[in-house]
Amino acid sequence: MPIASPEVYAEMIDRAKAGAFAYPAINVTSSQTLNAALQGFAEAGSDGIVQISTGGAEYASGPTVKNMITGAVALAEYATEVAKNYPVNIALHTDHCPKDKLDKYVRPLLAISKERVAKGLAPLFQSHMWDGSAVPLDENLQIAEELLAEAAAAKIILEIEVGVVGGEEDGVSAAIDDKLYSTVEDGLATVAKLGLGEKGRYLTALTFGNVHGVYKPGNVKLRPEILKEIQDAIGAKYGKEKPLDLVFHGGSGSLLSEIHGALDYGVVKMNIDTDTQYAFTRPVVDHVMKNYDGVLKIDGEVGNKKAYDPRAWGKLAENGLAKRVVEACEHLRSTGTTLAK
């Protein structure tokens, strides 16, 4: 299937909310990790989301180049071509973009898509994230309103964050404190500023104790009932059930019961990065340890080309990540739900 059109992406989100499931959003940094994500979605029979952070885009452009736009465009164009070979729909998304990188990342990418749409082409990405968690809510929503208008003109969905996700990702850190929990007032202020679709469609990452990074199950104190409280309050005011399309950030270490509670309250997208990074790297380490005399030229020997050929360990890495994507689809109830059926 080709990369999801704006209409297909909207239908994906609608079906997820109606069916109380969510799409794994897999961070990628290279053609290999992107291929692995596509493989996993196909094996699970699930549509999905592939996303590129600012750091991931820099890396993809070349570690010595560090051009976010070059990396993001390259991976998006690559995905557009290779996704045609998989029987599922894939949406392309850009992950966390703080205020100081908007002019270097999201705004230029929006301009590229706007030009494409004006020529009758599809936008390059289907959604972009503005991470305003580090600025006051009023400023966060003011910038979100401006970006939403630009995104709508380019047939793109905007993702925003209301609240703070703790831990660290791509150099952006936040303390683990009471700010990790969004409030009903936050939700009402968001809708008052951005509307409920009439100004453009958006996804909202409300926070309910979410933390980026590596945590064992039970160590992260999640309160998914906060999502229900906010949805109910907004719904009562505007006469709409589960009015917000929600995103779950910082899911590593979450209990399955907590994940399912979030899905029931309107989460349609869950970001997965830490776990897939490990799933990609672990098979490579295993290969090297089992074939150390082949991948290393020990004591003047020649090694074993079949062992150190990047394709040998690369395939293992991709399979490892793909399996974790399949697991994520199972956890998020998206297995077998593809629109392509």
Side-chain angles (χ1 to χ4, degrees):
M1 299 291 289
I3 291 295
S5 66
E7 295 76 18
V8 168
Y9 190 30
E11 186 177 355
M12 285 168 56
I13 293 170
D14 290 341
R15 291 181 78 242
K17 184 187 282 188
F21 66 88
Y23 299 106
I26 307 300
N27 282 72
V28 299
T29 56
S30 65
S31 59
Q32 278 193 300
T33 51
L34 195 151
N35 285 339
L38 298 180
Q39 177 186 332
F41 285 123
E43 290 177 356
S46 170
D47 298 326
I49 300 168
V50 169
Q51 58 188 24
I52 307 166
S53 67
T54 56
E58 279 190 347
Y59 178 79
S61 73
T64 61
V65 175
K66 295 185 178 181
N67 185 305
M68 290 184 284
I69 299 303
T70 296
V73 171
L75 282 179
E77 294 285 11
Y78 180 82
T80 298
E81 185 60 34
V82 298
K84 297 174 184 177
N85 298 304
Y86 293 88
V88 291
N89 297 287
I90 300 296
L92 300 177
H93 175 77
T94 59
D95 200 12
H96 292 272
C97 182
K99 182 181 177 181
D100 64 341
K101 293 182 179 178
L102 280 175
D103 290 340
K104 302 174 185 177
Y105 197 51
V106 166
R107 287 195 173 108
L109 290 175
L110 281 170
I112 290 171
S113 285
K114 190 174 181 179
E115 289 180 11
R116 289 169 60 100
V117 170
K119 295 176 182 178
L121 302 173
L124 186 61
F125 284 85
Q126 286 65 59
S127 53
H128 291 297
M129 182 189 177
W130 147 235
D131 184 352
S133 61
V135 301
L137 182 61
D138 288 348
E139 183 181 1
N140 182 352
L141 296 179
Q142 179 60 46
I143 294 173
E145 185 179 37
E146 296 167 5
L147 291 173
L148 184 59
E150 293 182 50
K155 298 184 178 181
I156 287 171
I157 293 173
L158 182 70
E159 180 182 330
I160 65 170
E161 184 170 314
V162 177
V164 176
V165 176
E168 186 273 335
E169 182 174 53
D170 262 359
V172 179
S173 300
I176 299 176
D177 55 27
D178 289 345
K179 293 182 179 179
L180 300 185
Y181 301 94
S182 299
T183 66
V184 168
E185 290 72 26
D186 293 338
L188 290 169
T190 298
V191 175
K193 190 70 170 177
L194 304 183
L196 285 173
E198 66 275 11
K199 294 184 179 183
R201 189 160 193 173
Y202 62 95
L203 307 172
T204 307
L206 295 174
T207 56
F208 50 102
N210 319 53
V211 179
H212 288 134
V214 183
Y215 295 88
K216 291 182 178 181
N219 285 2
V220 178
K221 306 304 179 184
L222 293 178
R223 295 172 53 200
E225 65 274 9
I226 286 175
L227 302 181
K228 183 178 188 303
E229 293 170 5
I230 296 173
Q231 291 276 44
D232 287 350
I234 297 171
K237 182 171 181 177
Y238 293 91
K240 186 176 181 180
E241 185 179 1
K242 289 194 291 189
L244 295 179
D245 300 325
L246 300 180
V247 180
F248 187 160
H249 286 206
S252 296
S254 302
L255 298 173
L256 195 57
S257 59
E258 295 169 333
I259 293 174
H260 287 170
L263 302 184
D264 292 338
Y265 302 144
V267 164
V268 296
K269 171 180 180 280
M270 180 173 172
N271 292 7
I272 301 175
D273 187 18
T274 301
D275 290 350
T276 48
Q277 287 178 349
Y278 182 79
F280 184 82
T281 301
R282 180 64 180 82
V284 179
V285 175
D286 186 60
H287 175 77
V288 170
M289 293 180 72
K290 289 180 178 177
N291 299 280
Y292 71 94
D293 56 344
V295 298
L296 299 175
K297 295 183 178 181
I298 298 174
D299 296 331
E301 293 297 326
V302 296
N304 181 351
K305 183 180 183 298
K306 291 183 179 180
Y308 60 74
D309 183 333
R311 291 169 293 183
W313 50 263
K315 287 186 288 188
L316 298 173
E318 290 184 33
N319 285 334
L321 195 156
K323 288 180 180 178
R324 184 60 184 85
V325 172
V326 170
E327 180 183 345
C329 292
E330 293 172 352
H331 289 172
L332 298 182
R333 305 170 176 161
S334 71
T335 302
T337 63
T338 178
L339 287 166
K341 289 196 302 182

